[in-house]
Amino acid sequence: MARGVGEDGPHPVDRHVGRRVCEKRISLGYNQSDLGRALGLTFQQIQKYEKGANRISASKLWDIARFFKVDVAYFFQGLNNEQPGVADGAGPAAFEHDFPSTRHTIEIARLAPQLSSRQQKLALDMIREMAGKADADAA
């Protein structure tokens, strides 16, 4: 069995860190092969990191952070500390989100602040309607 894959799949923290690597890579316009070449890895290894199937070692995470020009802490942002964490033995940490990032969702998030407040509300209403969540007006 691959490391990081158990009955419930990859560990939630490994998935979160991998997702943050993927989001940053896409937002900077790199593909998995580009990142792999910079780190001396194959794109398949990058895929495994991004899915959380393989854990990223501390030294490799350091290299990734240097390549992206971010602090290592960037990859842990979004972990919710309101619930007991894995160090407490009470189960996995809670996450801010649990959805797959795509080029489209990252671009939407990047472009949204450039819109006026009115345009942002219109875009949000449209996305909610398309997602079938038109009744979720609170926020």
Side-chain angles (χ1 to χ4, degrees), residues 16-137:
H16 179 82
V17 170
R19 180 179 294 123
R20 295 289 289 171
V21 169
C22 180
E23 289 172 355
K24 190 64 172 175
R25 176 183 58 75
I26 291 171
S27 71
L28 292 174
Y30 294 110
N31 62 38
Q32 291 174 332
S33 294
D34 295 333
L35 180 56
R37 273 190 300 277
L39 301 173
L41 301 170
T42 64
F43 79 90
Q44 293 95 335
Q45 184 63 42
I46 301 300
Q47 282 179 329
K48 290 177 182 181
Y49 283 165
E50 291 182 355
K51 290 179 182 176
N54 284 5
R55 292 184 178 133
I56 304 172
S57 69
S59 60
K60 202 54 77 177
L61 192 59
W62 175 265
D63 291 340
I64 294 169
R66 286 182 32 205
F67 179 75
F68 289 155
K69 296 180 174 67
V70 296
D71 190 69
V72 172
Y74 167 85
F75 301 107
F76 298 94
Q77 290 174 356
L79 287 176
N80 185 346
N81 293 327
E82 293 175 10
Q83 295 183 0
V86 284
D88 297 330
F95 296 92
E96 216 173 66
H97 57 75
D98 195 21
F99 57 88
S101 296
T102 65
R103 291 185 188 279
H104 302 293
T105 58
I106 292 169
E107 187 171 1
I108 289 168
R110 186 176 54 81
L111 293 173
Q114 298 174 22
L115 302 174
S116 69
S117 292
R118 182 177 174 279
Q119 290 171 321
Q120 288 178 20
K121 177 156 180 4
L122 289 171
L124 178 60
D125 290 344
M126 180 182 69
I127 291 170
R128 281 182 179 153
E129 186 171 325
M130 291 170 67
K133 308 242 189 250
D135 297 330
D137 290 332

Side-chain angles (χ1 to χ4, degrees), residues 1-11 48 52-55:
M1 183 178 305
R3 186 173 59 165
V5 179
E7 290 179 25
D8 300 324
H11 191 280
K48 290 177 182 181
N54 284 5
R55 292 184 178 133

